[in-house]
Amino acid sequence: MLTNELVTQTVETISAHYQQYSLLLIHPELRARTRVISALLNAPPCRLFYYSPRDGIVGPVPFLVELIEQLADQGRPVARQVHETLIKLPDPSGRLQAALFTVFRALHHQDYLLIFDDYDRLDHAWNVQRLLGDLLLSLPPQSHLLISSRTLPPFPWVDLIARQRAAVVYGNELRSGNAGPIS
């Protein structure tokens, strides 16, 4: 299949189905992931936000700070809401997850797509991976994450797919907990 056709099909599949899932993963073997992301940024199917982690993020706090900064650069200042959430929670163990949930809830009141590009840069940040994995099962309903990664993130895929919260996109195929690819 020609690359342009594959990019177009992938973008169309994402645009048609993102509202059904909390998480969409662009298949790691799709070599045109960057072009898909570029096409979505140029013609978004809904309100769109973009995050690309820098190399060297190793813990949840630097991840959260960087995410908040990148979202603020896109006109979504969420730092105040996150700060208020952190102050209200006496138990430090739940603070980071609550702060991240607050970020997702505060981004927009209607459906939106948050692109996590180059997610494989977080492969070594196991605390961040676990934080996001735990959160994926309880995202606000308007939150839809699209992950572009060279590797398969270590999320609870079985639970996510069984609950029809996640799907993998490759061209016009959408693989989820349903009885096979959706075209």
Side-chain angles (χ1 to χ4, degrees):
M1 181 179 301
L2 297 174
T3 302
N4 288 340
E5 184 180 341
L6 187 58
V7 168
T8 300
Q9 287 180 351
T10 303
V11 169
E12 288 172 355
T13 301
I14 291 167
S15 297
H17 297 286
Y18 76 90
Q19 290 177 311
Q20 299 168 333
Y21 301 96
S22 298
L23 172 65
L24 289 172
L25 172 70
I26 299 174
H27 197 287
E29 292 180 5
L30 181 66
R31 295 182 187 265
R33 287 184 313 278
T34 302
R35 293 185 55 203
V36 169
I37 298 300
S38 179
L40 285 167
L41 290 170
N42 288 328
C46 62
R47 185 75 164 113
L48 187 80
F49 301 99
Y50 177 86
Y51 170 69
S52 179
R54 64 177 165 74
D55 287 327
I57 295 285
V58 292
V61 173
F63 162 74
L64 191 58
V65 168
E66 182 180 72
L67 177 64
I68 290 169
E69 288 172 353
Q70 286 191 28
L71 294 173
D73 289 344
Q74 296 170 57
R76 293 309 300 175
V78 295
R80 182 178 53 79
Q81 293 98 322
V82 170
H83 179 69
E84 289 171 1
T85 298
L86 291 174
I87 289 174
K88 291 177 189 175
L89 291 174
D91 177 21
S93 64
R95 285 183 178 178
L96 288 175
Q97 187 168 359
L100 191 55
F101 186 84
T102 299
V103 168
F104 291 131
R105 191 181 64 237
L107 279 178
H108 206 266
H109 62 282
Q110 295 178 339
D111 282 325
Y112 67 85
L113 195 58
L114 172 57
I115 295 173
F116 276 77
D117 198 8
D118 299 318
Y119 191 83
D120 47 280
R121 291 181 184 165
L122 295 173
D123 281 354
H124 61 282
W126 287 102
N127 289 339
V128 174
Q129 301 277 7
R130 189 168 11 115
L131 177 68
L132 280 171
D134 291 345
L135 187 67
L136 287 172
L137 294 169
S138 61
L139 280 175
Q142 74 272 22
S143 303
H144 308 281
L145 306 183
L146 175 66
I147 294 182
S148 174
S149 179
R150 291 180 181 93
T151 59
L152 183 65
F155 294 146
W157 289 105
V158 172
D159 282 345
L160 290 166
I161 289 173
R163 295 179 189 191
Q164 296 186 354
R165 302 287 313 250
V168 179
V169 181
Y170 190 98
N172 63 353
E173 288 188 17
L174 183 70
R175 297 188 185 240
S176 66
N178 297 333
I182 301 169
S183 298

